[in-house]
Amino acid sequence: MDTKRQQKFGRQIQKDLSDIFQKEFKEIFGKGMVTVTEVKISPDLSVARCYLSFLLIDDREAVMDELEIRNKAIRNALANRIRKQVRIIPNLVFFLDDTAEYAAKIEALFEGLVIPPADGEEPNRVADEID
């Protein structure tokens, strides 16, 4: 359970990283987009676990590798924005957030699912009327 301070700090880093990725490091993503879905902060505020979701990017692993290579520059850009607000600039650790892809896969499975009525039951007329 994160404290209010961790949550507030995480939201601020999330907002600032999104802005940094859109303005200063957009060449990493090419024509694709990146979303900072969540930032979890360690209790001592020294490590920020940043979860990223990509749209229109085919090679996600290459982008993640490029982010790791440029981690120091990204952290420096973040430091320039939050330097006066915090004592410690957190180390950034990037993770791929595939929650949206997982949800789409589950949704596709549910759409293809056909449930026959149990023996002795009438078919669901409401569902038939909607289709």
Side-chain angles (χ1 to χ4, degrees):
M1 183 76 181
D2 292 339
T3 63
K4 287 207 183 261
R5 183 175 181 167
Q6 287 172 288
Q7 292 171 355
K8 187 175 180 181
F9 192 46
R11 284 191 303 269
Q12 183 63 42
I13 290 177
Q14 180 179 4
K15 179 180 164 276
D16 288 336
L17 276 180
S18 295
D19 196 42
I20 288 168
F21 288 151
Q22 288 178 3
K23 294 180 180 173
E24 298 175 34
F25 291 93
K26 59 184 172 186
E27 71 275 357
I28 294 175
F29 311 107
K31 294 182 181 180
M33 289 182 53
V34 63
T35 303
V36 182
T37 56
E38 186 177 12
V39 175
K40 293 184 179 181
I41 304 293
S42 65
D44 62 354
L45 306 178
S46 65
V47 177
R49 297 171 53 109
C50 307
Y51 294 89
L52 307 175
S53 177
F54 300 111
L55 183 65
L56 302 174
I57 294 178
D58 295 328
D59 193 5
R60 292 181 170 106
E61 293 302 321
V63 172
M64 292 299 289
D65 291 340
E66 184 68 24
L67 286 173
E68 286 304 319
I69 291 169
R70 295 190 182 196
N71 192 332
K72 188 173 181 179
I74 295 168
R75 184 172 182 242
N76 190 24
L78 179 66
N80 290 335
R81 291 174 183 252
I82 65 172
R83 180 168 310 198
K84 305 226 187 230
Q85 301 166 357
V86 298
R87 279 190 257 169
I88 298 172
I89 306 301
N91 292 320
L92 303 174
V93 182
F94 297 109
F95 294 96
L96 184 61
D97 185 11
D98 57 356
T99 307
E101 293 171 10
Y102 182 73
K105 189 183 295 186
I106 296 296
E107 185 69 28
L109 287 173
F110 279 131
E111 286 179 7
L113 190 62
V114 177
I115 302 174
D119 293 334
E121 285 186 14
E122 290 185 35
N124 188 352
R125 294 176 192 235
V126 175
D128 292 340
E129 291 173 5
I130 293 174
D131 293 334

